[in-house]
Amino acid sequence: MGLTVFVVLVVLAAGAEALLPRRNRPAPEIAEPEDLSFVLRSGLAPIRGYAEILGDRVSGDDDRRMIRAIEHHADRLTVLADRLRTERA
């Protein structure tokens, strides 16, 4: 189970890295808040889905605590994404 959580976190980190500028490529244009909201929500959907699937499969208290932590942080990021989208409206 610990390996599964690690894999989910690596996938999340890789997605976040894709948003960061690289040294040898031109700086990306600043995206509109609606675009950033879409990117965040698109990345959070599979994380939330995988956490739900893992939550159904685990039995240990420590594993369940880790799944709840992933779901909690995904919910927090979803709230931030929603705020980005509504601030421009």
Side-chain angles (χ1 to χ4, degrees), residues 22-55:
R22 303 222 182 214
R23 285 186 197 162
N24 296 331
R25 72 177 180 200
E29 294 181 28
I30 297 175
E32 292 294 320
E34 295 86 7
D35 297 337
L36 291 174
S37 174
F38 176 78
V39 170
L40 283 171
R41 292 178 69 80
S42 296
L44 288 167
I47 292 169
R48 183 176 280 117
Y50 289 136
E52 184 177 329
I53 291 168
L54 290 173

mmCIF file of all heavy atoms in Angstrom, residues 22-55:
data_model
loop_
_atom_site.group_PDB
_atom_site.id
_atom_site.type_symbol
_atom_site.label_atom_id
_atom_site.label_comp_id
_atom_site.label_asym_id
_atom_site.label_seq_id
_atom_site.Cartn_x
_atom_site.Cartn_y
_atom_site.Cartn_z
ATOM 1 N N ARG A 22 11.128 25.997 -17.350
ATOM 2 C CA ARG A 22 12.429 25.329 -17.438
ATOM 3 C C ARG A 22 13.473 26.357 -17.842
ATOM 4 O O ARG A 22 13.168 27.381 -18.439
ATOM 5 C CB ARG A 22 12.377 24.216 -18.462
ATOM 6 C CG ARG A 22 11.303 23.221 -18.133
ATOM 7 C CD ARG A 22 11.791 21.861 -18.355
ATOM 8 N NE ARG A 22 10.680 20.971 -18.061
ATOM 9 C CZ ARG A 22 10.841 19.809 -17.535
ATOM 10 N NH1 ARG A 22 12.024 19.384 -17.273
ATOM 11 N NH2 ARG A 22 9.812 19.051 -17.291
ATOM 12 N N ARG A 23 14.730 26.060 -17.557
ATOM 13 C CA ARG A 23 15.805 27.009 -17.837
ATOM 14 C C ARG A 23 15.958 27.300 -19.321
ATOM 15 O O ARG A 23 16.172 28.435 -19.708
ATOM 16 C CB ARG A 23 17.133 26.458 -17.328
ATOM 17 C CG ARG A 23 17.277 26.520 -15.858
ATOM 18 C CD ARG A 23 18.673 26.100 -15.486
ATOM 19 N NE ARG A 23 18.711 25.764 -14.080
ATOM 20 C CZ ARG A 23 19.649 25.071 -13.527
ATOM 21 N NH1 ARG A 23 20.639 24.601 -14.248
ATOM 22 N NH2 ARG A 23 19.620 24.814 -12.239
ATOM 23 N N ASN A 24 15.912 26.305 -20.166
ATOM 24 C CA ASN A 24 16.264 26.469 -21.581
ATOM 25 C C ASN A 24 15.070 26.659 -22.509
ATOM 26 O O ASN A 24 15.218 26.574 -23.714
ATOM 27 C CB ASN A 24 17.090 25.273 -22.055
ATOM 28 C CG ASN A 24 18.418 25.188 -21.339
ATOM 29 O OD1 ASN A 24 18.954 26.213 -20.927
ATOM 30 N ND2 ASN A 24 18.925 23.996 -21.173
ATOM 31 N N ARG A 25 13.927 26.880 -21.968
ATOM 32 C CA ARG A 25 12.798 27.150 -22.851
ATOM 33 C C ARG A 25 12.199 28.500 -22.480
ATOM 34 O O ARG A 25 12.316 28.951 -21.347
ATOM 35 C CB ARG A 25 11.773 26.030 -22.802
ATOM 36 C CG ARG A 25 10.968 25.955 -21.561
ATOM 37 C CD ARG A 25 9.926 24.849 -21.669
ATOM 38 N NE ARG A 25 9.172 24.819 -20.436
ATOM 39 C CZ ARG A 25 8.472 23.815 -20.018
ATOM 40 N NH1 ARG A 25 8.396 22.730 -20.744
ATOM 41 N NH2 ARG A 25 7.820 23.871 -18.900
ATOM 42 N N PRO A 26 11.570 29.138 -23.442
ATOM 43 C CA PRO A 26 11.009 30.460 -23.148
ATOM 44 C C PRO A 26 9.952 30.370 -22.045
ATOM 45 O O PRO A 26 9.267 29.371 -21.901
ATOM 46 C CB PRO A 26 10.375 30.900 -24.477
ATOM 47 C CG PRO A 26 10.472 29.751 -25.397
ATOM 48 C CD PRO A 26 11.333 28.704 -24.784
ATOM 49 N N ALA A 27 9.878 31.433 -21.294
ATOM 50 C CA ALA A 27 8.884 31.467 -20.214
ATOM 51 C C ALA A 27 7.479 31.394 -20.814
ATOM 52 O O ALA A 27 7.188 32.055 -21.806
ATOM 53 C CB ALA A 27 9.038 32.760 -19.411
ATOM 54 N N PRO A 28 6.621 30.583 -20.231
ATOM 55 C CA PRO A 28 5.263 30.475 -20.766
ATOM 56 C C PRO A 28 4.493 31.765 -20.510
ATOM 57 O O PRO A 28 4.806 32.528 -19.594
ATOM 58 C CB PRO A 28 4.659 29.318 -19.972
ATOM 59 C CG PRO A 28 5.449 29.273 -18.710
ATOM 60 C CD PRO A 28 6.818 29.760 -19.064
ATOM 61 N N GLU A 29 3.513 31.991 -21.350
ATOM 62 C CA GLU A 29 2.646 33.142 -21.123
ATOM 63 C C GLU A 29 1.888 32.914 -19.826
ATOM 64 O O GLU A 29 1.606 31.795 -19.442
ATOM 65 C CB GLU A 29 1.644 33.275 -22.274
ATOM 66 C CG GLU A 29 2.279 33.612 -23.594
ATOM 67 C CD GLU A 29 1.240 33.753 -24.687
ATOM 68 O OE1 GLU A 29 0.090 34.115 -24.369
ATOM 69 O OE2 GLU A 29 1.583 33.501 -25.831
ATOM 70 N N ILE A 30 1.569 33.999 -19.160
ATOM 71 C CA ILE A 30 0.817 33.878 -17.926
ATOM 72 C C ILE A 30 -0.608 33.473 -18.291
ATOM 73 O O ILE A 30 -1.279 34.157 -19.062
ATOM 74 C CB ILE A 30 0.834 35.195 -17.134
ATOM 75 C CG1 ILE A 30 2.271 35.513 -16.724
ATOM 76 C CG2 ILE A 30 -0.076 35.108 -15.925
ATOM 77 C CD1 ILE A 30 2.440 36.833 -16.050
ATOM 78 N N ALA A 31 -1.025 32.358 -17.733
ATOM 79 C CA ALA A 31 -2.338 31.822 -18.055
ATOM 80 C C ALA A 31 -3.421 32.578 -17.295
ATOM 81 O O ALA A 31 -3.184 33.125 -16.217
ATOM 82 C CB ALA A 31 -2.407 30.345 -17.705
ATOM 83 N N GLU A 32 -4.582 32.590 -17.877
ATOM 84 C CA GLU A 32 -5.740 33.176 -17.214
ATOM 85 C C GLU A 32 -6.133 32.283 -16.035
ATOM 86 O O GLU A 32 -5.914 31.077 -16.068
ATOM 87 C CB GLU A 32 -6.906 33.274 -18.194
ATOM 88 C CG GLU A 32 -6.684 34.269 -19.307
ATOM 89 C CD GLU A 32 -6.624 35.691 -18.796
ATOM 90 O OE1 GLU A 32 -7.412 36.048 -17.910
ATOM 91 O OE2 GLU A 32 -5.772 36.451 -19.287
ATOM 92 N N PRO A 33 -6.718 32.861 -14.988
ATOM 93 C CA PRO A 33 -7.135 32.051 -13.841
ATOM 94 C C PRO A 33 -8.068 30.902 -14.223
ATOM 95 O O PRO A 33 -7.992 29.831 -13.644
ATOM 96 C CB PRO A 33 -7.845 33.056 -12.929
ATOM 97 C CG PRO A 33 -7.201 34.359 -13.261
ATOM 98 C CD PRO A 33 -6.901 34.281 -14.744
ATOM 99 N N GLU A 34 -8.917 31.121 -15.220
ATOM 100 C CA GLU A 34 -9.823 30.053 -15.639
ATOM 101 C C GLU A 34 -9.038 28.880 -16.205
ATOM 102 O O GLU A 34 -9.388 27.725 -15.987
ATOM 103 C CB GLU A 34 -10.824 30.560 -16.688
ATOM 104 C CG GLU A 34 -11.774 31.616 -16.171
ATOM 105 C CD GLU A 34 -11.200 33.027 -16.267
ATOM 106 O OE1 GLU A 34 -10.119 33.207 -16.851
ATOM 107 O OE2 GLU A 34 -11.835 33.944 -15.739
ATOM 108 N N ASP A 35 -7.963 29.171 -16.963
ATOM 109 C CA ASP A 35 -7.134 28.113 -17.528
ATOM 110 C C ASP A 35 -6.417 27.345 -16.425
ATOM 111 O O ASP A 35 -6.341 26.114 -16.456
ATOM 112 C CB ASP A 35 -6.101 28.685 -18.497
ATOM 113 C CG ASP A 35 -6.737 29.351 -19.707
ATOM 114 O OD1 ASP A 35 -7.897 29.022 -20.030
ATOM 115 O OD2 ASP A 35 -6.072 30.206 -20.317
ATOM 116 N N LEU A 36 -5.869 28.069 -15.455
ATOM 117 C CA LEU A 36 -5.190 27.406 -14.345
ATOM 118 C C LEU A 36 -6.163 26.554 -13.545
ATOM 119 O O LEU A 36 -5.829 25.449 -13.113
ATOM 120 C CB LEU A 36 -4.540 28.447 -13.429
ATOM 121 C CG LEU A 36 -3.356 29.207 -14.011
ATOM 122 C CD1 LEU A 36 -2.909 30.299 -13.052
ATOM 123 C CD2 LEU A 36 -2.220 28.271 -14.337
ATOM 124 N N SER A 37 -7.360 27.059 -13.366
ATOM 125 C CA SER A 37 -8.380 26.306 -12.649
ATOM 126 C C SER A 37 -8.666 24.995 -13.375
ATOM 127 O O SER A 37 -8.754 23.933 -12.758
ATOM 128 C CB SER A 37 -9.659 27.129 -12.528
ATOM 129 O OG SER A 37 -10.691 26.362 -11.950
ATOM 130 N N PHE A 38 -8.786 25.056 -14.685
ATOM 131 C CA PHE A 38 -9.055 23.853 -15.473
ATOM 132 C C PHE A 38 -7.918 22.846 -15.356
ATOM 133 O O PHE A 38 -8.137 21.653 -15.156
ATOM 134 C CB PHE A 38 -9.277 24.225 -16.945
ATOM 135 C CG PHE A 38 -9.461 23.035 -17.832
ATOM 136 C CD1 PHE A 38 -10.675 22.368 -17.859
ATOM 137 C CD2 PHE A 38 -8.429 22.575 -18.623
ATOM 138 C CE1 PHE A 38 -10.843 21.254 -18.667
ATOM 139 C CE2 PHE A 38 -8.584 21.465 -19.430
ATOM 140 C CZ PHE A 38 -9.802 20.805 -19.455
ATOM 141 N N VAL A 39 -6.673 23.339 -15.438
ATOM 142 C CA VAL A 39 -5.506 22.458 -15.342
ATOM 143 C C VAL A 39 -5.461 21.792 -13.967
ATOM 144 O O VAL A 39 -5.233 20.584 -13.859
ATOM 145 C CB VAL A 39 -4.203 23.244 -15.619
ATOM 146 C CG1 VAL A 39 -2.976 22.421 -15.277
ATOM 147 C CG2 VAL A 39 -4.150 23.689 -17.063
ATOM 148 N N LEU A 40 -5.680 22.573 -12.922
ATOM 149 C CA LEU A 40 -5.672 22.004 -11.572
ATOM 150 C C LEU A 40 -6.769 20.963 -11.392
ATOM 151 O O LEU A 40 -6.530 19.872 -10.878
ATOM 152 C CB LEU A 40 -5.840 23.110 -10.530
ATOM 153 C CG LEU A 40 -4.623 23.952 -10.238
ATOM 154 C CD1 LEU A 40 -4.998 25.136 -9.345
ATOM 155 C CD2 LEU A 40 -3.544 23.122 -9.590
ATOM 156 N N ARG A 41 -7.975 21.304 -11.812
ATOM 157 C CA ARG A 41 -9.093 20.369 -11.639
ATOM 158 C C ARG A 41 -8.903 19.108 -12.474
ATOM 159 O O ARG A 41 -9.257 18.021 -12.033
ATOM 160 C CB ARG A 41 -10.409 21.052 -11.970
ATOM 161 C CG ARG A 41 -10.773 22.143 -10.968
ATOM 162 C CD ARG A 41 -12.057 22.847 -11.324
ATOM 163 N NE ARG A 41 -13.202 21.992 -11.157
ATOM 164 C CZ ARG A 41 -13.794 21.719 -9.998
ATOM 165 N NH1 ARG A 41 -13.325 22.254 -8.899
ATOM 166 N NH2 ARG A 41 -14.833 20.930 -9.944
ATOM 167 N N SER A 42 -8.320 19.247 -13.660
ATOM 168 C CA SER A 42 -8.070 18.076 -14.512
ATOM 169 C C SER A 42 -7.052 17.141 -13.865
ATOM 170 O O SER A 42 -7.186 15.926 -13.956
ATOM 171 C CB SER A 42 -7.547 18.506 -15.882
ATOM 172 O OG SER A 42 -8.520 19.255 -16.561
ATOM 173 N N GLY A 43 -6.043 17.698 -13.219
ATOM 174 C CA GLY A 43 -5.057 16.877 -12.543
ATOM 175 C C GLY A 43 -5.570 16.258 -11.253
ATOM 176 O O GLY A 43 -5.146 15.178 -10.854
ATOM 177 N N LEU A 44 -6.497 16.940 -10.605
ATOM 178 C CA LEU A 44 -7.023 16.442 -9.339
ATOM 179 C C LEU A 44 -8.040 15.321 -9.520
ATOM 180 O O LEU A 44 -8.204 14.487 -8.630
ATOM 181 C CB LEU A 44 -7.660 17.589 -8.552
ATOM 182 C CG LEU A 44 -6.673 18.572 -7.965
ATOM 183 C CD1 LEU A 44 -7.399 19.826 -7.479
ATOM 184 C CD2 LEU A 44 -5.890 17.933 -6.843
ATOM 185 N N ALA A 45 -8.714 15.278 -10.648
ATOM 186 C CA ALA A 45 -9.742 14.253 -10.868
ATOM 187 C C ALA A 45 -9.179 12.840 -10.755
ATOM 188 O O ALA A 45 -9.736 12.010 -10.017
ATOM 189 C CB ALA A 45 -10.435 14.479 -12.203
ATOM 190 N N PRO A 46 -8.086 12.511 -11.463
ATOM 191 C CA PRO A 46 -7.580 11.141 -11.304
ATOM 192 C C PRO A 46 -6.989 10.883 -9.918
ATOM 193 O O PRO A 46 -7.098 9.764 -9.406
ATOM 194 C CB PRO A 46 -6.500 11.011 -12.388
ATOM 195 C CG PRO A 46 -6.149 12.391 -12.784
ATOM 196 C CD PRO A 46 -7.354 13.242 -12.496
ATOM 197 N N ILE A 47 -6.406 11.895 -9.300
ATOM 198 C CA ILE A 47 -5.870 11.694 -7.948
ATOM 199 C C ILE A 47 -7.002 11.348 -6.991
ATOM 200 O O ILE A 47 -6.905 10.419 -6.190
ATOM 201 C CB ILE A 47 -5.105 12.945 -7.477
ATOM 202 C CG1 ILE A 47 -3.834 13.107 -8.310
ATOM 203 C CG2 ILE A 47 -4.786 12.874 -5.989
ATOM 204 C CD1 ILE A 47 -3.139 14.423 -8.125
ATOM 205 N N ARG A 48 -8.079 12.094 -7.080
ATOM 206 C CA ARG A 48 -9.233 11.822 -6.219
ATOM 207 C C ARG A 48 -9.818 10.438 -6.523
ATOM 208 O O ARG A 48 -10.166 9.683 -5.617
ATOM 209 C CB ARG A 48 -10.297 12.900 -6.410
ATOM 210 C CG ARG A 48 -11.475 12.697 -5.488
ATOM 211 C CD ARG A 48 -12.489 13.811 -5.603
ATOM 212 N NE ARG A 48 -11.999 14.929 -4.814
ATOM 213 C CZ ARG A 48 -11.688 16.122 -5.322
ATOM 214 N NH1 ARG A 48 -11.816 16.354 -6.589
ATOM 215 N NH2 ARG A 48 -11.277 17.088 -4.547
ATOM 216 N N GLY A 49 -9.889 10.090 -7.803
ATOM 217 C CA GLY A 49 -10.413 8.777 -8.190
ATOM 218 C C GLY A 49 -9.554 7.633 -7.689
ATOM 219 O O GLY A 49 -10.063 6.639 -7.150
ATOM 220 N N TYR A 50 -8.237 7.770 -7.840
ATOM 221 C CA TYR A 50 -7.335 6.730 -7.353
ATOM 222 C C TYR A 50 -7.396 6.619 -5.828
ATOM 223 O O TYR A 50 -7.346 5.521 -5.272
ATOM 224 C CB TYR A 50 -5.895 6.992 -7.793
ATOM 225 C CG TYR A 50 -5.669 6.776 -9.266
ATOM 226 C CD1 TYR A 50 -4.924 7.681 -10.006
ATOM 227 C CD2 TYR A 50 -6.196 5.675 -9.927
ATOM 228 C CE1 TYR A 50 -4.702 7.502 -11.367
ATOM 229 C CE2 TYR A 50 -5.991 5.484 -11.280
ATOM 230 C CZ TYR A 50 -5.237 6.394 -11.993
ATOM 231 O OH TYR A 50 -5.027 6.204 -13.324
ATOM 232 N N ALA A 51 -7.501 7.740 -5.146
ATOM 233 C CA ALA A 51 -7.603 7.709 -3.688
ATOM 234 C C ALA A 51 -8.873 6.978 -3.258
ATOM 235 O O ALA A 51 -8.860 6.206 -2.292
ATOM 236 C CB ALA A 51 -7.585 9.130 -3.116
ATOM 237 N N GLU A 52 -9.957 7.199 -3.994
ATOM 238 C CA GLU A 52 -11.207 6.513 -3.673
ATOM 239 C C GLU A 52 -11.073 5.006 -3.881
ATOM 240 O O GLU A 52 -11.504 4.211 -3.039
ATOM 241 C CB GLU A 52 -12.333 7.064 -4.543
ATOM 242 C CG GLU A 52 -13.687 6.489 -4.223
ATOM 243 C CD GLU A 52 -14.788 7.106 -5.066
ATOM 244 O OE1 GLU A 52 -14.668 8.281 -5.433
ATOM 245 O OE2 GLU A 52 -15.762 6.396 -5.360
ATOM 246 N N ILE A 53 -10.450 4.617 -4.995
ATOM 247 C CA ILE A 53 -10.246 3.188 -5.268
ATOM 248 C C ILE A 53 -9.356 2.568 -4.197
ATOM 249 O O ILE A 53 -9.658 1.491 -3.664
ATOM 250 C CB ILE A 53 -9.636 2.992 -6.666
ATOM 251 C CG1 ILE A 53 -10.659 3.363 -7.737
ATOM 252 C CG2 ILE A 53 -9.154 1.550 -6.851
ATOM 253 C CD1 ILE A 53 -10.069 3.479 -9.130
ATOM 254 N N LEU A 54 -8.259 3.243 -3.864
ATOM 255 C CA LEU A 54 -7.358 2.726 -2.839
ATOM 256 C C LEU A 54 -8.058 2.641 -1.484
ATOM 257 O O LEU A 54 -7.835 1.706 -0.721
ATOM 258 C CB LEU A 54 -6.115 3.602 -2.727
ATOM 259 C CG LEU A 54 -5.152 3.543 -3.901
ATOM 260 C CD1 LEU A 54 -4.057 4.600 -3.736
ATOM 261 C CD2 LEU A 54 -4.535 2.167 -4.019
ATOM 262 N N GLY A 55 -8.898 3.612 -1.185
ATOM 263 C CA GLY A 55 -9.628 3.608 0.080
ATOM 264 C C GLY A 55 -10.517 2.393 0.229
ATOM 265 O O GLY A 55 -10.715 1.885 1.335
#
